[in-house]
Every structure is written in structure tokens, then in C-alpha cells.
Amino acid sequence: MTTVYFVVPCYNEEEVLPETIKRLTAKLEKLIAAGKASEDSRMLFVDDGSKDKTWSIIEQYSEENRYVGGVKLSRNRGHQNALLSGLMTAKEHCDCVISLDADLQDDIEVLDEFLDKYEEGCEVVYGVRSSRKKDSFFKRSTAQGYYKFMKLLGVDIVYNHADYRLMGSRALDALSEYDEVNLFLRGIVPLIGYRSDYVYYERNERFAGKSKYPLKKMIRFAIDGITSFSVKPLKLISNLGIIICVLSVIGFIYALVSLCMGVAASGWTSTICSIWFLGGLQMLCIGIVGTYVGKIYHEVKHRPRYRIEKTIINDEETESPID
Ligand code: UDP
Ligand code: MG
């Protein structure tokens, strides 16, 4: 029978966690009763350096609920790294892993379908949102525009799929060989290959707590996906380029008006417009190149992506050495 681990990254999720644990436990018990998951299946909550009571909630529940396990990161490393640390820890104990968010926005009623597809031989199963009716208009249009833009850039990404997915141990072994520091899991997983399938579900609203992805973070994550990372000062250059491009348009209008009013020296209009515009364009291009240089800079340093401070699985607690 399949031993499945649910991996749930959590950052300041004290408000949702007790309810999430309750609902997931009920679901896991049903799966076990139905013979779809083995008794050894677990839920692994990754505390991504939360500042609230997230870790103590995980610890407390793990004492009374044997299905609850935890991984505590030494500090906040972001959603993708937290997820990776959970996947890599779970990989050692199970046949397959299903990753999902702590707020249960992803419908857990379709977990059966994930496991059925795994039984049929799929190594990766992607959870795909069948509609985004519950998202705000802004989130829906920007997210969908983003997926289309990624496709246009030739990035192989599953449309309307976030990080709700099942991965078998072979896919996880493959994932562990991707060493990049600039982690964008939904871009990497399709590169792994193997047989895959989709499960469609309705995305719910967060039942408590706030989104940990405010607009600013969302934009940042989006840019990471395209270039894998960007370095602020380098990005500033491209922003400056855009501003100059806009100013050059205003300048262009001003120069045209001057020309029409006959106050401009002949040849001045075209010269000044091209200087402004090309200056802006060059800065923008340097900025884009710089973004990629910045990404190389981070990859070359190859810093560890996360550090696990503590792991709880079953009732045994292991503390990893801190160096
Ligand atoms: N998360 C995390 N580290 C972070 C930010 C978020 O582990 O630095 C987790 C968060 O606890 C949640 C998941 O990532 O389980 C997705 O975040 P959220 O639900 O806030 O994003 P949204 O659904 O609004 O895009
Ligand atoms: Mg969410």
C-alpha cells in the first residue's frame, strides 16, 4: 500500500494550523480506511522560521496525533525553499509526497484522485485549478497573464497549477539533483519528465489568516520565475531605463510642439528624441542583462538553500547539528 506524506509549508500560520491539522487528519484517516494510504502515512508541517506560535502548535499536535510531524527551519527561507526541505525530508520515509498550502485553499477532497493516478503509474500529478472564480479580478488576470507570458518565453509550465502536486520517490530523487539556489519548483518539475497527469479542483478562499503573498511578494516571485532571481541594484537600472523611456515620450511630445510652434532649431527634435529614447532603451537592456548576471552570482556562491533545526517524525525527535 502507498505510504504518502503530505508536506505543508507554514509561515506564521497559527490561525489556520489547528483547523488544517484537524481536516487533514480526518482526510488521512479516511484514505487509510479506504485502503488508499498505508498506516505509515504522515503529515509533515514545515515551519519556515515563523514568528508566531506555528512551531509550538506543530510540536503540541505531534505529541497527541501520531500522523503529525514537523520540520523546523532555522529561519525564514521562503515558500519554495521551505517546500523543498519538506520534500527532501519526506522522501526518505515514503513512496510519494503531496504538497499543499497550510490554508487549505486547495481542495483536499481530490486527494483520492491524486493517489489513484499514482497507483495507475503516474510519477507526477499536477493539481490544476479548474476556475479562479474565487480569486479577485486582479489576482486572476495577473496570474493568467503571467502563465501565458511564461509560455511565450518558452518556459514549460503547467497552466493554473501552483504547488499542489504529487511526486513519487523517483521524481523526488530527480528533483534532489537540481541544485539551483534560485528555486522555482513549478518550472523544475516539468523538466523531470516521467509519466504525469492532472487533477482538477476548485480553489477556495483562505478560511483564516492573511495571505503571505502580498502584491509586492507576488511580483517578486513572478520575476524570479522568469530569471530565477534578480539583484536589486541591477534591477534598479532597468527601472531607471523604463522611467527614462517614459520621459523620452514626454520629451518627444514637447519637442514636436516646439517644432510646430517654430521655436526649435532645425534637426534638434530628431536628435534629442533619439538620445533620450536610446538612452532609456540601453539602460533597460543593461538592466535585463544585469538581472541574469545577478542570477549567476547567486548560483556561483551556491549557498545552502535551507537549514533544518529540528525534525519530528512519529514521536522521535532528532536535532540536526548546527554548524
Ligand atoms: N509560506 C512559507 N514561507 C513564506 C511565505 C509563505 O512557507 O515565506 C507558505 C504559507 O504558510 C502557505 C503557502 O506558503 O502555506 C502559500 O502562502 P499563501 O497562502 O500566503 O499564498 P497565496 O495562497 O495567498 O498565494
Ligand atoms: Mg494561500
Side-chain angles (χ1 to χ4, degrees):
M1 216 187 291
T2 314
T3 300
V4 58
Y5 267 48
F6 299 145
V7 170
V8 187
C10 310
Y11 179 56
N12 296 342
E13 297 287 12
E14 62 179 9
E15 282 171 80
V16 297
L17 214 48
E19 181 65 21
T20 302
I21 292 175
K22 203 175 101 194
R23 291 197 205 173
L24 266 183
T25 305
K27 186 67 196 173
L28 185 57
E29 277 170 348
K30 265 196 216 159
L31 289 170
I32 293 171
K36 292 193 175 182
S38 80
E39 276 286 334
D40 297 327
S41 300
R42 293 285 178 272
M43 305 177 276
L44 200 60
F45 295 90
V46 182
D47 173 25
D48 186 16
S50 299
K51 290 175 185 72
D52 63 1
K53 293 202 218 75
T54 299
W55 179 249
S56 49
I57 293 172
I58 296 170
E59 258 183 335
Q60 186 197 327
Y61 275 90
S62 71
E63 278 164 23
E64 47 203 62
N65 178 341
R66 69 195 175 98
Y67 298 121
V68 175
V71 170
K72 181 176 169 30
L73 298 192
S74 61
R75 55 158 294 166
N76 181 246
R77 296 293 298 131
H79 176 207
Q80 299 287 293
N81 288 315
L83 186 53
L84 183 75
S85 72
L87 295 178
M88 292 303 118
T89 307
K91 164 169 105 64
E92 310 301 324
H93 305 272
C94 63
D95 302 316
C96 66
V97 172
I98 299 175
S99 51
L100 59 164
D101 289 353
D103 52 18
L104 296 191
Q105 281 187 286
D106 306 318
D107 184 11
I108 57 170
E109 290 313 314
V110 298
L111 285 171
D112 304 70
E113 287 179 46
F114 275 95
L115 290 169
D116 291 344
K117 301 240 155 132
Y118 176 73
E119 283 295 322
E120 285 165 21
C122 289
E123 198 58 30
V124 181
V125 184
Y126 300 100
V128 175
R129 291 167 204 179
S130 49
S131 82
R132 280 178 169 267
K133 277 190 223 114
K134 288 188 179 146
D135 277 348
S136 68
F137 172 75
F138 180 75
K139 178 130 190 179
R140 189 168 57 230
S141 42
T142 49
Q144 293 187 332
Y146 180 65
Y147 285 112
K148 287 188 184 136
F149 185 57
M150 291 287 271
K151 268 258 148 39
L152 209 69
L153 291 174
V155 183
D156 189 7
I157 188 168
V158 178
Y159 190 66
N160 269 347
H161 157 73
D163 285 303
Y164 190 24
R165 78 173 83 78
L166 176 146
M167 292 180 82
S169 49
R170 273 198 302 169
L172 290 168
D173 280 339
L175 178 66
S176 69
E177 285 170 24
Y178 286 79
D179 273 341
E180 56 224 77
V181 175
N182 306 292
L183 204 56
F184 189 68
L185 287 169
R186 62 192 85 164
I188 298 175
V189 178
L191 296 178
I192 293 173
Y194 293 125
R195 195 174 140 192
S196 65
D197 207 339
Y198 308 100
V199 163
Y200 295 90
Y201 68 97
E202 286 280 335
R203 182 161 159 98
N204 302 316
E205 277 162 49
R206 221 174 212 280
F207 63 86
K210 274 205 227 71
S211 169
K212 308 298 176 300
Y213 273 103
L215 182 64
K216 217 174 102 196
K217 227 168 159 184
M218 225 166 72
I219 295 174
R220 201 166 63 203
F221 184 58
I223 295 174
D224 276 359
I226 298 162
T227 63
S228 281
F229 215 148
S230 69
V231 170
K232 252 193 189 156
L234 297 168
K235 221 165 62 186
L236 274 179
I237 304 174
S238 40
N239 292 347
L240 201 64
I242 294 168
I243 294 168
I244 293 174
C245 279
V246 172
L247 286 179
S248 86
V249 172
I250 299 169
F252 178 73
I253 295 165
Y254 169 72
L256 266 186
V257 171
S258 308
L259 183 74
C260 293
M261 289 168 65
V263 289
S266 77
W268 175 78
T269 319
S270 54
T271 314
I272 206 71
C273 285
S274 47
I275 288 175
W276 279 334
F277 181 70
L278 283 176
L281 203 64
Q282 277 167 349
M283 280 228 189
L284 177 64
C285 294
I286 294 172
I288 293 170
V289 174
T291 309
Y292 285 92
V293 173
K295 183 180 140 192
I296 297 165
Y297 165 74
H298 282 292
E299 291 296 347
V300 164
K301 281 197 292 189
H302 211 271
R303 286 183 176 162
R305 294 177 285 187
Y306 55 84
R307 180 155 297 276
I308 294 176
E309 194 178 313
K310 251 184 205 174
T311 310
I312 308 174
I313 289 178
N314 286 329
D315 284 326
E316 55 189 274
E317 195 162 322
T318 48
E319 269 181 53
S320 67
I322 298 185
D323 36 319

